[in-house]
Amino acid sequence: MSYGASAYARVSQAGMSPREAEAAVLVKAAARLQTVQTDWDNQKGVLAEALNFNQKVWAVIAGAAAEPDCPLPEPIKASIVQLSVFVFRRMVDTLIEPEADKLSALISINHNLAAGLRS
């Protein structure tokens, strides 16, 4: 069984809807970034790991929005893709020139999107 399939199997066993699962993963990515940001001097070694996890989450989000059979209206799909581009650029910029403040936008975006998925 693939990693994605086993992850969804665990989610369905936990009684979460797909939207709740997506929100939970976004919050988990935000929490990892927040941990690095809060203790910046001691967490720089795990910055790449936190950004990599966030990148994987956003790759799935961007890919789903770009699918031709995605049921979302075109303007929303386009906005998600544009937001994904911003997120990817910010992550690369943070890897190239690490600064704790650069994580704030990523954390905020993840939390806001998770809140939208839950409502």
Side-chain angles (χ1 to χ4, degrees):
M1 182 180 289
S2 74
Y3 175 76
S6 64
Y8 271 105
R10 286 191 306 274
V11 165
S12 46
Q13 290 172 353
M16 296 174 84
S17 73
R19 286 179 67 122
E20 290 170 329
E22 291 162 353
V25 170
L26 281 161
V27 168
K28 180 178 180 178
R32 286 178 145 190
L33 295 169
Q34 183 69 58
T35 298
V36 172
Q37 185 184 47
T38 300
D39 193 15
W40 182 253
D41 291 331
N42 296 317
Q43 296 292 324
K44 287 184 199 173
V46 295
L47 173 63
E49 288 177 28
L51 289 171
N52 184 47
F53 183 78
N54 199 59
Q55 183 270 331
K56 289 177 182 178
V57 170
W58 277 92
V60 171
I61 291 169
E67 286 291 323
D69 61 345
C70 178
L72 295 173
E74 286 301 320
I76 293 183
K77 290 191 321 186
S79 293
I80 291 171
V81 171
Q82 289 174 340
L83 185 58
S84 300
V85 170
F86 171 81
V87 168
F88 293 137
R89 285 183 179 159
R90 177 56 65 102
M91 287 186 294
V92 169
D93 180 51
T94 304
L95 281 171
I96 293 170
E97 294 181 29
E99 294 175 25
D101 291 342
K102 291 180 180 180
L103 297 176
S104 295
L106 298 173
I107 294 164
S108 178
I109 290 167
N110 284 9
H111 279 299
N112 286 316
L113 187 55
L117 286 167
R118 288 184 174 137
S119 61

